[in-house]
């Protein structure tokens, strides 16, 4: 009989830590991620099935029961579930027409927190991250240096950066440099 050893997948930023006296950089906990596309007529059914009301306005997010939904475009959402629940199964049970793609292994998250978190991000991100322009709960797809990210303001001094796994080393390294600069 063949050996049925199964490889265990490590998170791409396993063991990474960084920051400075004013900024802490940590890999986000592993999570389930889904890219969701649906028309306006499907929002209510998907919201009910997912247990949270999908946001329908630019730069907005909604969180409930360990799940977060980011508005990415008029018919596009980025879903995160840190409990690892069955996002795909819930989407499928909605009974409405939509497209849901599990991108859990494509993406990774980095938490940037501390009093200089916005300054750290602004080392490579052109957005105005003041609380007035980018309040708590705001989310957007943007650039960070040479890569595309999804940026989410979790709390006043805490941001979540979502990027593709293949760019995680670059993103983390650039954040480390930004954290050092922001602490000068």
């Amino acid at each position: 009989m063949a050996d049925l050893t199964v490889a265990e997948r490590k998170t791409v930023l396993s063991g990474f830590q960084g920051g400075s006296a004013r900024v802490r950089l940590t890999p986000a906990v592993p999570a389930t991620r889904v890219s969701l596309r649906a028309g306006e007529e499907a929002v209510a059914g998907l919201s009910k099935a997912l247990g949270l009301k999908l946001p329908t306005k630019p730069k907005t997010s909604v969180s409930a029961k360990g799940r977060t939904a980011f508005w990415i475009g008029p018919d596009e959402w980025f879903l995160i579930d840190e409990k690892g629940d069955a996002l795909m199964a819930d989407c499928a049970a909605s009974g409405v027409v939509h497209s849901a793609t599990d991108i859990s292994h494509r993406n990774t998250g980095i938490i940037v927190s501390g009093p200089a978190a916005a300054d750290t991000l602004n080392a490579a991100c052109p957005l105005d991250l003041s609380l007035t322009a980018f309040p708590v709960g705001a989310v957007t797809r943007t650039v960070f240096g040479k890569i595309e990210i999804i940026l989410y303001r979790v709390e006043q001094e805490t941001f979540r950066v979502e990027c593709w796994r293949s760019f995680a080393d670059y993103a983390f390294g650039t954040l480390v440099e930004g954290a050092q600069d922001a602490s000068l």
Side-chain angles (χ1 to χ4, degrees):
M1 182 163 256
D3 182 11
L4 297 178
T5 304
V6 177
E8 185 176 321
R9 180 181 287 270
K10 287 184 182 180
T11 60
V12 69
L13 295 173
S14 181
F16 278 57
Q17 290 184 359
S20 65
R22 301 186 62 222
V23 183
R24 191 171 44 261
L25 305 173
T26 53
V29 299
T32 302
R33 295 169 177 86
V34 168
S35 175
L36 178 64
R37 305 290 304 251
E40 188 177 325
E41 67 285 351
V43 171
L46 285 162
S47 294
K48 183 177 179 184
L50 292 166
L52 51 76
K53 189 174 188 309
L54 290 174
T56 56
K57 293 185 178 158
K59 254 175 62 173
T60 57
S61 64
V62 174
S63 294
K65 302 174 189 168
R67 288 184 172 175
T68 305
F70 301 152
W71 184 94
I72 300 299
D75 66 348
E76 183 179 3
W77 295 267
F78 184 88
L79 309 175
I80 299 175
D81 189 324
E82 291 186 339
K83 293 181 179 181
D85 287 342
L87 281 173
M88 290 295 289
D90 289 347
C91 288
S94 69
V96 296
V97 175
H98 67 280
S99 168
T101 305
D102 187 329
I103 56 171
S104 301
H105 293 299
R106 182 192 78 182
N107 275 52
T108 194
I110 303 168
I111 305 300
V112 182
S113 59
D119 293 335
T120 297
L121 287 159
N122 278 147
C125 179
L127 294 179
D128 177 357
L129 297 178
S130 66
L131 276 168
T132 305
F134 204 78
V136 172
V139 64
T140 191
R141 187 180 333 208
T142 187
V143 294
F144 183 72
K146 298 177 182 181
I147 65 171
E148 178 184 295
I149 64 168
I150 293 177
L151 182 62
Y152 170 52
R153 185 174 221 141
V154 181
E155 296 171 347
Q156 183 172 338
E157 295 182 348
T158 304
F159 295 83
R160 180 185 188 108
V161 174
E162 282 285 324
C163 67
W164 286 20
R165 291 173 54 90
S166 57
F167 298 126
D169 284 340
Y170 171 84
F172 202 90
T174 304
L175 285 166
V176 167
E177 289 178 18
Q180 292 168 349
D181 291 346
S183 291
L184 297 177

